[in-house]
Amino acid sequence: MFKIFANAWRVEDIRKKILFILLLLFIYRVGAILVPLPGIDLEALAYFRDPTQGMGDAAMTFFSLLMGGELGTVFAMGIAPYITASIIMQLLTYAIPALSQMQKEDEEGRKKIQQITRYLAVALAALQAAGMVFSYTRFGAHMGLSENLFAHQNIFVYIVATVAMMTGTIFIMWLAELLTEKGIGNGASFLIFANILAGLPAGVMTFWSMLTADPDLLSVVLVAVLLIAFVLIIAFVVLVHEGERRIPVQYSRKAAAGSGFKGPQQYIPLKVNIAGVLSIIFAMSLIGFPVQIAQFFPNATFVNNVARFVDFTRPGGMHPVGIVLYIVLIFAFTHFYTSFAVNPIEMAEGLKKNGGFIPGIRPGKPTSDFIQITVNRLSWIGSVFYSLIAITPILMGLLVPQMAHIAFGGTSLLIVTGVALEFVKQLESQLLMRHYKGFLE
């Protein structure tokens, strides 16, 4: 991997893309941390963020992974509205024939879908920004402060703050699309990747405090076991992420004299988990929605009771109902995304037109059925593996309470590893396009 990075850095075009990615991520993180909302009370906000005071931001750790940065900044919502809009559009595309037809059209049709997604993300950002500003006017009561976290309490300040937060999300959407267009890989994934890495220092400090707070042999052994567990999780993620099912394919041609001969055998590679980290990201987005709503309305008893079932940072660990719901969502989004990513009918038709066939399977519908069954089995296997990885940090949090507040947990490692692997693959393809095959051997 390091050799790939070294070779990529020697190519001027790729080096510029890497520097461009780093520049945009730097801008994103600066805005997520250092640019407060207009009218916010900085002293109250600093107290609100302090993990040693009151609630701290332990309850915000899970959401900061997807939402972007510290609360009270213009980038507080991050990429979350865009992800939610993408989920809604994928569901609508699956349910509405007109959108499905538009998705299958040429590049122009996909651009229309993307434009609708942007408009929907802006609408969701406006609603969510208004809700977050409303929550800021009341959330301070939980911290022993004044009820309002804004220094100036009037409707004009609230409107300006809402517009600023919504504008910040639109800017982040533009950054994500710019990263996708001119960078390497998916821009939204890179932003989430940066958010998770930003929580790494806090995770390291948690381990350090476990060693220094009670320096005995048990603490050392516990930290060592946790570090080994993280390494094993990463290895397991790489194993599942790189695993694939190769369906053998043969192509037949007729010779001029009428006799036939078989061409070289090839394969149809199908990933164990075609959805990759997207199923986890979508599941995290939906399961975190009740907790987010509860933060908007801290005095709503029913909403807060529902949120406790799915809260990752709940004292004593996540409720079993929330764990089951989390697993169900991972399964659902894995199968749902796979249905979009793989079209067995088109694959079977493509094989038939090019004279290809799967040994032992007749061309046409039997071939498409065979591919569909294989994809379904792979989706089930991948869903089980990713569910085990996703709930591992939750189970670890039950055994070690300090782990419940580490942002850089198992699910985070899953996303980081998946994005990193995709980035390395993109670098490999870029190098192969420039005839650097020798460096990759």
Side-chain angles (χ1 to χ4, degrees):
M1 185 178 71
F2 294 105
K3 195 173 184 180
I4 295 174
F5 279 108
N7 295 327
W9 189 259
R10 296 191 186 103
V11 182
E12 183 180 359
D13 183 38
I14 299 179
R15 183 170 65 249
K16 288 181 179 179
K17 289 184 177 182
I18 294 175
L19 292 174
F20 180 75
I21 292 173
L22 294 176
L23 175 62
L24 292 192
L25 292 181
F26 175 77
I27 294 173
Y28 173 59
R29 290 307 305 168
V30 168
I33 299 173
L34 301 179
V35 184
L37 282 175
I40 205 78
D41 188 335
L42 297 181
E43 293 185 1
L45 188 63
Y47 185 85
F48 174 70
R49 291 176 178 175
D50 188 354
T52 64
Q53 303 290 342
M55 288 178 58
D57 66 348
M60 309 302 174
T61 299
F62 170 70
F63 301 101
S64 65
L65 300 182
L66 293 179
M67 294 179 65
E70 301 285 348
L71 295 180
T73 65
V74 293
F75 287 178
M77 293 189 300
I79 198 69
Y82 184 72
I83 293 176
T84 305
S86 299
I87 296 173
I88 294 174
M89 282 305 301
Q90 289 198 16
L91 292 172
L92 292 178
T93 302
Y94 185 78
I96 301 177
L99 292 177
S100 179
Q101 183 63 31
M102 190 182 300
Q103 180 73 21
K104 295 177 181 178
E105 290 177 359
D106 55 7
E107 186 66 23
E108 193 65 28
R110 287 187 288 271
K111 285 183 179 180
K112 292 179 181 178
I113 294 288
Q114 184 65 23
Q115 191 67 18
I116 296 173
T117 304
R118 294 192 193 104
Y119 290 142
L120 181 59
V122 171
L124 292 175
L127 292 174
Q128 189 171 333
M132 292 191 73
V133 169
F134 175 77
S135 70
Y136 288 171
T137 65
R138 288 165 169 76
F139 214 80
H142 290 273
M143 311 294 294
L145 306 172
S146 62
E147 289 190 1
N148 202 315
L149 290 180
F150 287 95
H152 303 284
Q153 303 173 15
N154 60 71
I155 188 64
F156 178 75
V157 172
Y158 302 154
I159 292 176
V160 172
T162 301
V163 173
M165 193 178 293
M166 183 177 66
T167 305
T169 296
I170 296 173
F171 181 75
I172 292 172
M173 285 171 46
W174 177 71
L175 287 182
E177 294 187 358
L178 200 60
L179 281 170
T180 302
E181 179 183 354
K182 298 186 177 181
I184 302 173
N186 183 274
S189 298
F190 265 113
L191 295 182
I192 298 173
F193 179 83
N195 293 335
I196 297 174
L197 288 185
L200 178 60
V204 173
M205 291 303 299
T206 300
F207 281 117
W208 179 253
S209 64
M210 291 171 63
L211 289 173
T212 57
D214 188 13
D216 55 8
L217 180 60
L218 181 61
S219 299
V220 175
V221 172
L222 180 60
V223 171
V225 170
L226 291 176
L227 291 176
I228 293 173
F230 282 143
V231 173
L232 292 177
I233 290 174
I234 293 175
F236 189 58
V237 170
V238 174
L239 178 65
V240 176
H241 191 277
E242 295 298 309
E244 63 181 21
R245 166 76 160 87
R246 293 183 175 181
I247 300 177
V249 176
Q250 291 182 343
Y251 291 89
S252 300
R253 294 182 300 174
K254 290 184 179 181
S259 61
F261 68 92
K262 295 181 179 180
Q265 189 177 61
Q266 299 182 16
Y267 298 93
I268 299 177
L270 296 175
K271 304 291 290 184
V272 173
N273 192 300
I274 299 172
V277 298
L278 289 177
S279 59
I280 302 293
I281 294 174
F282 287 172
M284 290 174 67
S285 299
L286 284 189
I287 203 171
F289 188 71
V291 183
Q292 184 178 334
I293 295 297
Q295 292 172 3
F296 296 161
F297 306 100
N299 297 323
T301 304
F302 175 76
V303 175
N304 281 271
N305 288 336
V306 173
R308 291 191 186 98
F309 284 94
V310 294
D311 189 358
F312 279 79
T313 60
R314 174 178 173 267
M318 192 176 187
H319 195 279
V321 174
I323 296 176
V324 172
L325 180 60
Y326 189 28
I327 294 174
V328 170
L329 287 175
I330 292 175
F331 272 78
F333 278 117
T334 298
H335 289 277
F336 177 74
Y337 187 86
T338 301
S339 66
F340 284 98
V342 180
N343 191 326
I345 297 177
E346 290 184 358
M347 294 175 66
E349 291 178 352
L351 284 175
K352 188 176 181 180
K353 289 180 181 178
N354 292 282
F357 64 95
I358 300 174
I361 306 297
R362 290 183 299 172
K365 190 176 185 304
T367 298
S368 64
D369 291 341
F370 176 80
I371 295 175
Q372 183 66 63
I373 293 173
T374 304
V375 169
N376 291 339
R377 290 174 178 173
L378 291 176
S379 296
W380 280 105
I381 295 172
S383 299
V384 171
F385 286 160
Y386 274 81
S387 296
L388 289 175
I389 296 171
I391 66 173
T392 296
I394 301 175
L395 300 179
M396 292 172 64
L398 294 175
L399 299 175
V400 185
Q402 296 93 326
M403 295 295 298
H405 302 296
I406 295 181
F408 207 77
T411 307
S412 304
L413 288 174
L414 173 64
I415 297 175
V416 168
T417 306
V419 174
L421 288 173
E422 289 298 328
F423 180 67
V424 171
K425 286 185 177 181
Q426 290 287 337
L427 285 180
E428 286 181 346
S429 63
Q430 294 277 340
L431 290 173
L432 288 172
M433 288 171 57
R434 292 163 176 80
H435 308 289
Y436 274 80
K437 297 181 181 179
F439 288 107
L440 303 178
E441 296 176 354

